[in-house]
Amino acid sequence: MAFCTTCGAQRGNGNDAFCASCGHRHDEGAAPAMPPVAAVPPPPSGPPAVPPTMAPPAMSAPATPPPAMPPPGWQPPASERSGRAPLGVIAAVGGIVLAVVAAGFVGYHFFWPRSGAGSPEDAAAQVMEAAADQDPVALLDVVSPAEIDGLDDVYDKARKKAEDEGLVDGDGITDALDIEFDGLEYDVDELGDDIARVTLTGGTYKASWDPEKLPDRLDFLKDESDKESDSGDVVDLFEDEPTVITVKVDGRWYVSLLGTAADYTYQEAERAADDSDYDLASPDWDLASDAVDPITGDTPEDVIANLVDAVNSGKAENLLANLPEDLVKPLRPYVPVVDDLQREGGWAEGEIGLTVSADDLQLSTEDLDDGQVKVVVESGTFTGTAFEEGYDADTGSAELDGDCVDVYSEGYHEGGGCVSDAPVARDLGLDDLFFVVSEVDGGYQLDPGATLVEYASTIVDNISSDLVDDVVGDLEDEFDESY
């Protein structure tokens, strides 16, 4: 059995001059006994301009071989021309197109570089590399998307404004600072299937500062600082070996800022518990991988009502179920810790607790991208009551009207004010109190990460040249007074 050396199709009788599928002229001599193997190119080192494609697989011959294709350039007599391509050629071309499209999809899905990293150690290493390169975009690329999704666009806008104002130049944030790391070593503690702690255990650094490389807009700093350099062991820069918590999302590993903060908080609490001979419960790391049914609301009012119910239930797991799953993944292991503390404090028995309410809400909404909705609190009253058996309950409330807030304690007015009364807040467009909800399973949940990104985007959009002049001027005055 013989095969075409170009497309891999089976040759009819092994003696045809041209391939019936692709028209390739067969070389004289023996044809290969097996179809050629399509080579798959290695994954690209960086994002290509278009999704990569792999060579189509060899096409099998039809049950009845089509007639041999004549050599290129040959045409039949006028009486034999039909104006249509031979059926065998159409089928062959169609098959190749489908194969290329399918292979391209597979190549894109498996080989196209995605955000995150292939392992917890790689995620931590990319953070250090991004820091040395002064590359916030690369840094954001390896942070849990649920925590900072959209922040890269905010940075791009901020960077463009900073360039326009002459505050940055070069590829990084500033050419005046140069950082190099070498021989970094990490220790990985796989806490669970989808969560790991990475500790920086060794390596060296070199850092240099050259104020002469600052942009002209910051000339006043050149006269107030000298060229400096430093080097040493990275770990010596910290009181303890630095650690980060990494989480696995959709098969990729990311650094979790929220998880890292929770880990440091727990370690501090554990040290305090040891000093007081208290047996603090341990996190259940397997909970980070557990699937949880989300609690969603059909409207923004429902979202707030769900959160109120979760707080009043006194159960941490209910509160986390009201928030995006990937965001709270690194917090779930601490639910047993919180439950144990509540039992010790009498919370579970009703001896101590907290109740909250949200009344007379007036909300307005604005659709954002990717199933997100910005919810502006036009007015409303939020009340909280803390109680402990044997003591009088303490009640406080906040009444919102636009961007103004009045605070009450036990019915007495304690103070208040309007965000827009602060000139800087007004200049930055912070004249609304809002939050962002994201669509989840046909409903909505409060999205703290998206809320912070929307506030950051609002601030960047409203930074004006006059405001930059004021900030730079104030900074220059402070340096003049200090030096």
Side-chain angles (χ1 to χ4, degrees), residues 2 29 37 123 137 149 186 190 244 255 297 364 373 382 404 423 425 459 475:
V37 179
V137 174
D149 191 28
Y186 304 92
E190 296 181 358
V244 294
V255 170
S364 63
V373 178
F382 297 87
C404 299
I459 291 172
L475 184 61

Side-chain angles (χ1 to χ4, degrees), residues 197 243-245 258-268 285 334:
R197 181 188 294 115
T243 64
V244 294
I245 292 295
L258 196 58
T260 300
D263 188 44
Y264 273 98
T265 300
Y266 178 80
Q267 291 179 39
E268 287 291 335
W285 299 110
Y334 300 99

Side-chain angles (χ1 to χ4, degrees), residues 338-387:
V338 175
D339 290 346
D340 184 69
L341 290 173
Q342 289 179 324
R343 282 192 296 270
E344 288 292 329
W347 191 297
E349 289 75 23
E351 299 172 2
I352 187 173
L354 172 70
T355 61
V356 298
S357 65
D359 305 297
D360 303 323
L361 293 177
Q362 295 292 324
L363 310 176
S364 63
T365 61
E366 175 189 345
D367 289 337
L368 304 176
D369 295 331
D370 301 326
Q372 295 179 340
V373 178
K374 177 180 177 180
V375 182
V376 178
V377 182
E378 304 290 354
S379 62
T381 301
F382 297 87
T383 304
T385 299
F387 61 88

Side-chain angles (χ1 to χ4, degrees), residues 20-326:
S21 293
C22 68
H24 172 71
R25 183 182 181 88
H26 298 310
D27 293 332
E28 295 182 0
M34 293 294 291
V37 179
V40 179
S45 57
V50 296
T53 58
M54 296 184 294
M59 297 179 60
S60 60
T64 302
M69 181 177 290
W74 179 88
Q75 292 184 343
S79 61
E80 298 179 13
R81 297 178 190 175
S82 65
R84 294 184 298 173
L87 183 60
V89 176
I90 294 176
V93 172
I96 291 176
V97 170
L98 289 175
V100 170
V101 171
F105 175 80
V106 173
Y108 169 80
H109 186 74
F110 289 103
F111 297 126
W112 185 275
R114 294 173 287 169
S115 59
S119 69
E121 181 176 345
D122 287 345
Q126 287 184 33
V127 168
M128 298 299 290
E129 182 179 349
D133 293 341
Q134 301 181 51
D135 189 347
V137 174
L139 177 61
L140 295 175
D141 199 45
V142 77
V143 174
S144 176
E147 299 177 16
I148 50 83
D149 191 28
L151 201 57
D152 50 348
D153 293 333
V154 176
Y155 169 75
D156 287 340
K157 291 191 294 184
R159 169 82 189 195
K160 180 63 168 58
K161 288 200 173 188
E163 289 176 346
D164 293 342
E165 296 296 333
L167 296 175
V168 297
D169 55 17
D171 296 330
I173 296 176
T174 175
D175 288 341
L177 178 64
D178 183 68
I179 304 174
E180 294 180 9
F181 294 117
D182 186 50
L184 297 180
E185 298 177 353
Y186 304 92
D187 179 66
V188 179
D189 185 5
E190 296 181 358
L191 304 171
D193 291 340
D194 294 339
I195 189 166
R197 181 188 294 115
V198 183
T199 303
L200 178 62
T201 59
T204 60
Y205 73 92
K206 292 181 181 179
S208 63
W209 167 257
D210 186 354
E212 293 300 320
K213 294 182 179 180
L214 287 168
D216 294 339
R217 184 75 183 271
L218 302 177
D219 271 345
F220 64 92
L221 293 175
K222 298 179 181 179
D223 299 330
E224 308 299 346
S225 60
D226 299 322
K227 185 175 181 179
E228 298 180 50
S229 63
D230 190 23
S231 62
D233 293 332
V234 177
V235 176
D236 291 342
L237 297 173
F238 304 89
E239 183 176 348
D240 298 308
E241 291 180 338
T243 64
V244 294
I245 292 295
T246 61
V247 293
K248 193 176 185 181
V249 179
D250 294 333
R252 304 288 290 173
W253 286 92
Y254 299 85
V255 170
S256 170
L257 304 179
L258 196 58
T260 300
D263 188 44
Y264 273 98
T265 300
Y266 178 80
Q267 291 179 39
E268 287 291 335
E270 193 173 36
R271 282 191 283 267
D274 289 342
D275 291 341
S276 58
D277 293 329
Y278 177 77
D279 187 16
L280 186 65
S282 299
D284 183 354
W285 299 110
D286 290 336
L287 293 178
S289 304
D290 284 356
V292 177
D293 292 332
I295 298 176
T296 64
D298 294 331
T299 66
E301 290 84 358
D302 291 339
V303 171
I304 294 177
N306 289 340
L307 288 167
V308 167
D309 290 343
V311 172
N312 291 338
S313 74
K315 296 181 179 180
E317 60 182 345
N318 288 350
L319 183 60
L320 296 184
N322 277 273
L323 302 174
E325 180 180 359
D326 288 340

